Structures are given as structure tokens and as C-alpha cells.
Amino acid sequence: MKYSEISHFSHPQHKLRYEFTEFPFKCDGCKEAGIGSRFRCSTCDFDLHQHCAVPSPYSLHHPFYTKCSFQFFSRPPGDVPRYCNACGRDVAGFLYHCRDCGFDLHPCCAKLPVVIDDGEVKLYLYRKVSSPCHRCGRKGRSWSYRSTCKKYNLHVACVKDMLVENWADLCSNVNEHRYVGSRTRIPTLKNTVNVQRKSKGKVKKCCEVAGLGVQFIVAAVLGDPTALIAGLVGILISKG
């Protein structure tokens, strides 16, 4: 269901209006980065991811945790520091929490699409993969998106690391309005795909195509898998 304007408990002063932004923002609910769909109070410069503004009204169930029933919380329960079981980052605001198992998920992590598919690029979300991540070179660590050929992997945690490391550059480019109107089709990202020289044929082609889907992963982690902002994502990829 789409809402153009909502009242939200976290910002009772004013109503929040739905808008789509091509610029990065920090969600005042979960405290994580965002882009694309959001609910905003321009008077107070207050922003919420769509997933934070309109959480699941009932228990949330995730295919990776079949025995868990996640409830939405406005802040982490208890006094012990908590972390997201999807990306491994600290939980500092809104979250989904399973009382029985103690698992936590950022709202946007909880809603990550299991399959990212634009008709050509198809990437699958895995809880664990045995192959190393193409950015950090490590295994495990967090959930990962993997190509159809299973040779291309990218940690959800690594995508968030890219955002944190380059946040200043992203914001400075927003202030300079260098990327206004830069929504385009998926850019060529061949330099981000570490394909081994011995890889040939279908495997190499699969990895090259998967590299083109990195933008989808970044957009999904930011809370809106439909937000294809090539200019901003290009900054992250070029420095990854």
C-alpha cells in the first residue's frame, strides 16, 4: 500500500510526506544510510526509510530464520549492545527483534529481496556462502548476494562499509549538485569484478554480468531496490 503522507510516532510534530530522492540520506529511525523512497519532514530535516516508516504491522517471518517471529521495535531491547544478524553492523535505532532467539535485523536488511532480477541480471541472497567476497576477500561475515554461476559474491556488510567509507564524498557531490538527473541504466562495472584469468566461457561471462548488478545490491541495502542512481553508486564502486 502506498502512502503520500503519514503521521509517525517518532516525529509527532509534523506529518511526513513520501518522496523519492536521488541523494543519500541518514534515516532518523534505524540510523542507517538510505536512498530512493523515503518519508520526510522538510521543516525538521527528518527522514525515514519507507521500511522504517511503514513497518510490518504483524510478526515478520524471514526464510533464513524459519523458527523466528520478528517484532518491530523502536529501539534495541535491553542494555547490551546489539548487532544486525544480516549485515553485522550495530543496531542503534529501529529494528526487528525475535524475543525467543535474540536475533536482530535492521528494517531494510529484513526486507532485502531474496532475488534481484532486472530481466538480465539475477543475484540471489544467501545467509552463508563458502566462496570469498569479491570486495574483502573473506568468507562468512554477513549475508551475501551471489551470482547464478556462484562465482561472484558480495557481502551485504561490505556494501555498507562502502557507504560509510565514502559518505563524505557522497554528500559533497550532492551539495555540488553534480549528479542531478543522473538516473540511468546500469553502468558498466567490469573493473569491480575480480575474474580469475583462468576463468573462461560461461563462468567468466556470468561474473561479468553479475558485476553489472552491483548497483541493484547497493540500492537494495539502502532501502529501495528500485532506485537506480548510477552517479552516486558509481562513486562507491570506483572506490570499492
Side-chain angles (χ1 to χ4, degrees):
M1 182 180 295
K2 289 285 187 179
Y3 301 89
S4 60
E5 189 176 76
I6 63 170
S7 296
H8 201 272
F9 70 88
S10 65
H11 192 72
Q13 303 93 316
H14 308 101
K15 289 187 175 182
L16 307 179
R17 294 189 62 83
Y18 173 84
E19 66 178 39
F20 184 94
T21 176
E22 297 182 355
F23 301 145
F25 64 87
K26 182 177 180 179
C27 176
D28 290 290
C30 67
K31 314 304 181 185
E32 294 288 301
I35 210 166
S37 300
R38 67 176 172 182
F39 282 87
R40 174 173 174 78
C41 173
S42 56
T43 302
C44 302
D45 191 24
F46 184 90
D47 300 289
L48 291 178
H49 288 119
Q50 184 171 355
H51 294 318
C52 290
V54 189
S56 298
Y58 308 107
S59 297
L60 183 145
H61 298 275
H62 198 280
F64 290 170
Y65 303 102
T66 56
K67 296 182 180 180
C68 291
S69 178
F70 290 91
Q71 305 290 331
F72 181 82
F73 283 71
S74 60
R75 59 183 180 181
D79 300 323
V80 179
R82 310 194 69 85
Y83 69 93
C84 175
N85 287 92
C87 68
R89 287 175 56 81
D90 292 342
V91 173
F94 293 0
L95 74 155
Y96 284 99
H97 173 73
C98 176
R99 294 180 184 273
D100 294 332
C101 301
F103 292 142
D104 301 295
L105 297 173
H106 290 124
C108 289
C109 290
K111 299 297 183 69
L112 283 172
V114 177
V115 181
I116 294 178
D117 183 6
D118 76 330
E120 180 180 2
V121 177
K122 186 174 287 188
L123 300 162
Y124 296 87
L125 184 65
Y126 285 79
R127 183 179 176 183
K128 294 181 180 179
V129 295
S130 57
S131 301
C133 169
H134 271 71
R135 182 172 188 270
C136 70
R138 289 183 286 171
K139 301 178 182 179
R141 192 186 183 199
S142 76
W143 294 0
S144 300
Y145 275 102
R146 172 181 260 192
S147 62
T148 305
C149 65
K150 298 185 179 181
K151 297 297 182 181
Y152 183 88
N153 305 294
L154 186 63
H155 287 142
V156 170
C158 285
V159 174
K160 290 202 171 186
D161 287 346
M162 290 161 64
L163 294 169
V164 172
E165 292 166 6
N166 297 285
W167 186 256
D169 288 340
L170 286 172
C171 292
S172 65
N173 279 296
V174 167
N175 293 333
E176 294 170 10
H177 301 285
R178 289 176 56 185
Y179 292 98
V180 174
S182 62
R183 291 182 66 211
T184 63
R185 60 181 301 179
I186 305 173
T188 299
L189 304 174
K190 291 182 180 179
N191 291 335
T192 70
V193 187
N194 300 322
V195 181
Q196 299 293 331
R197 288 186 177 181
K198 63 181 179 180
S199 298
K200 297 181 180 180
K202 293 182 179 179
V203 172
K204 181 176 180 179
K205 180 62 177 177
C206 175
C207 290
E208 289 177 347
V209 172
L212 301 180
V214 174
Q215 183 173 335
F216 282 107
I217 299 175
V218 175
V221 170
L222 284 167
D224 190 348
T226 65
L228 303 182
I229 300 90
L232 291 174
V233 174
I235 298 172
L236 297 176
I237 299 305
S238 65
K239 297 196 174 188

